[in-house]
Amino acid sequence: MAYYLVFLEPRNGLVAGVSADVWHRVQEQLFSGDRVAGFVAGSLSSGALDVLQGSGTVHHALSGRPAVPSDMELCRMLSELVRKEGCTDIFMAATAAGRRLAPAIAATLPASLLAGCTSAYPDEKVCRRYIHSGSVLAAYRPQSAIRIVLQGREHRRVTFSSLERPRCVAFQESPGILRDAAPLIRAIIATSSSEDISEAGIIVAGGRGMGDAGRFAMLEELANLLGGSVGASRSAVDEGWRPHSQQIGQTGKSVAPELYIACGISGAVQHLAGLASARTIVAINSDPYAPVFDVADYGIVGDVREVLPRLTDAVRDVLRKK
Ligand SMILES: Cc1cc2nc3c(=O)[nH]c(=O)nc-3n(C[C@H](O)[C@H](O)[C@H](O)COP(=O)(O)OP(=O)(O)OC[C@H]3O[C@@H](n4cnc5c(N)ncnc54)[C@H](O)[C@@H]3O)c2cc1C
């Protein structure tokens, strides 16, 4: 019988959406007798834990100052909790914090660290992971009794694609969503850098669906507004619309933005190979069945020529009302 511990990251006083996703995926794979607990550290708004559905207890470590404990402190608290409770598996979202903490906890306990695995873990006790940009499925057998599973978007895409659809919205609804997202957009802009796409906090990327080089001006406008960078698919680079330094994917750059806006990009596996660490993906595509919607958090079905100017106006409007 398994005892799962889910590391819940706080964000702006709430449980981060990616952590809540991990919690719910763990709930879906419980067998009879399995147990689940959550761990969150730092101050939370009242009712912040209400988003977590299902069974289990959440351990909330309240810290004084600083409000968010250091990585060392988190590593110590989590390791102690795992030992005390006898947890068998720790699940974490593959965010920047998750990627920093997981190896430290694995070394402290010790535990096997499984990153980017796609199997319906842990029923077989064998973990599968796509390698070589998705062309080979490798199997791993963890050596330690305790496992740490870092769940990235690879996991979401392969294992849960039939269960989880992106929140596709009609374009008319998006200004409302943007208004709700305004504090988040401002927080991302504050930390965003437009120097190099590998480092950018926000990327607005275009593919063949942009139609020609001139239309990338729309992407530059939106990227400038958001303090982000422009990226491109290989098709756009092959067309000569953008330089190779902006190509994202297997033969381009790997990126890790907080927000990735894919415009007229189909979502080929070689492009997605560069996006494994992107946190929130928004896709604009005229084809509702484009594979990019399988990995998108938000999907807008529409023509980039129509959607982009309106989206840019809506973002400008939201940012003006600071
Ligand atoms: C070895 C190898 C390495 C590769 N490396 C990379 C890599 O690093 N990066 C990379 O990106 N690709 C790479 N590729 C290429 C990859 O397989 C795809 O061909 C490429 O990503 C497709 O680019 P795209 O999505 O822009 O174009 P397409 O696949 O042509 O898709 C265009 C999309 O735009 C949509 N669209 C069309 N018109 C509009 C409109 N007006 N409004 C909205 N949407 C519209 C269409 O519905 C479609 O989904 C590689 C391929 C190989 C074989």
Side-chain angles (χ1 to χ4, degrees):
M1 258 166 276
Y3 187 175
Y4 303 114
L5 180 68
V6 181
F7 173 61
L8 302 164
E9 266 181 62
R11 194 152 307 143
N12 302 326
L14 302 172
V15 173
V18 279
S19 296
D21 283 354
V22 172
W23 169 271
H24 291 126
R25 274 176 251 158
V26 169
Q27 297 283 338
E28 284 167 8
Q29 65 189 39
L30 294 179
F31 288 97
S32 157
D34 288 348
R35 295 164 68 200
V36 59
F39 172 85
V40 61
S43 45
L44 291 178
S45 311
S46 70
L49 297 177
D50 294 350
V51 293
L52 304 176
Q53 313 282 317
S55 61
T57 314
V58 175
H59 301 266
H60 183 188
L62 277 168
S63 58
R65 283 170 190 277
V68 180
S70 66
D71 286 353
M72 248 158 77
E73 185 78 353
L74 281 172
C75 176
R76 185 187 59 73
M77 287 193 278
L78 270 161
S79 305
E80 276 176 14
L81 186 63
V82 169
R83 288 199 194 100
K84 187 167 139 256
E85 292 280 311
C87 301
T88 54
D89 301 81
I90 308 166
F91 279 77
M92 310 175 95
T95 58
R99 286 173 200 274
R100 283 198 311 271
L101 272 177
I105 299 168
T108 307
L109 281 169
S112 291
L113 173 55
L114 309 166
C117 291
T118 60
S119 63
Y121 183 87
D123 52 348
E124 305 161 75
K125 300 293 178 203
V126 170
C127 306
R128 297 196 173 83
R129 177 188 171 149
Y130 280 97
I131 57 174
H132 301 311
S133 296
S135 54
V136 174
L137 186 57
Y140 297 87
R141 195 177 295 278
Q143 298 299 305
S144 303
I146 304 173
R147 293 158 294 260
I148 302 180
V149 183
L150 257 185
Q151 286 200 339
R153 291 189 183 278
E154 313 86 289
H155 189 284
R156 173 189 294 199
R157 186 168 75 239
V158 181
T159 308
F160 294 94
S161 55
S162 58
L163 297 176
E164 193 177 327
R165 297 297 304 162
R167 284 161 276 186
C168 271
V169 293
F171 183 65
Q172 285 71 10
E173 292 171 38
S174 54
I177 290 172
L178 277 173
R179 257 192 311 280
D180 296 345
L184 178 63
I185 293 174
R186 285 192 204 106
I188 296 172
I189 290 172
T191 56
S192 181
S193 140
S194 56
E195 293 295 305
D196 174 359
I197 53 168
S198 319
E199 299 289 325
I202 296 179
I203 296 176
V204 185
R208 202 199 302 275
M210 291 304 296
D212 61 41
R215 294 212 185 100
F216 274 78
M218 292 192 286
L219 305 188
E220 278 163 9
E221 190 183 359
L222 182 57
N224 284 339
L225 199 59
L226 294 170
S229 303
V230 172
S233 71
R234 175 157 144 184
S235 299
V237 172
D238 288 349
E239 293 282 354
W241 299 343
R242 301 307 287 185
H244 183 261
S245 59
Q246 292 183 352
Q247 183 181 316
I248 292 160
Q250 184 185 333
T251 44
K253 290 191 174 159
S254 288
V255 294
E258 292 286 321
L259 175 64
Y260 186 80
I261 306 180
C263 309
I265 292 178
S266 57
V269 66
Q270 294 89 354
H271 185 76
L272 300 180
L275 289 185
S277 302
R279 179 165 283 181
T280 299
I281 298 179
V282 176
I284 306 170
N285 199 301
S286 51
D287 174 6
Y289 300 103
V292 70
F293 287 130
D294 290 341
V295 297
D297 298 279
Y298 296 93
I300 299 176
V301 180
D303 189 321
V304 286
R305 289 168 297 184
E306 188 204 339
V307 174
L308 270 169
R310 293 173 63 189
L311 183 63
T312 305
D313 283 349
V315 169
R316 191 179 288 113
D317 199 38
V318 163
L319 295 177
R320 203 182 292 132
K321 291 179 188 152
K322 271 189 192 182

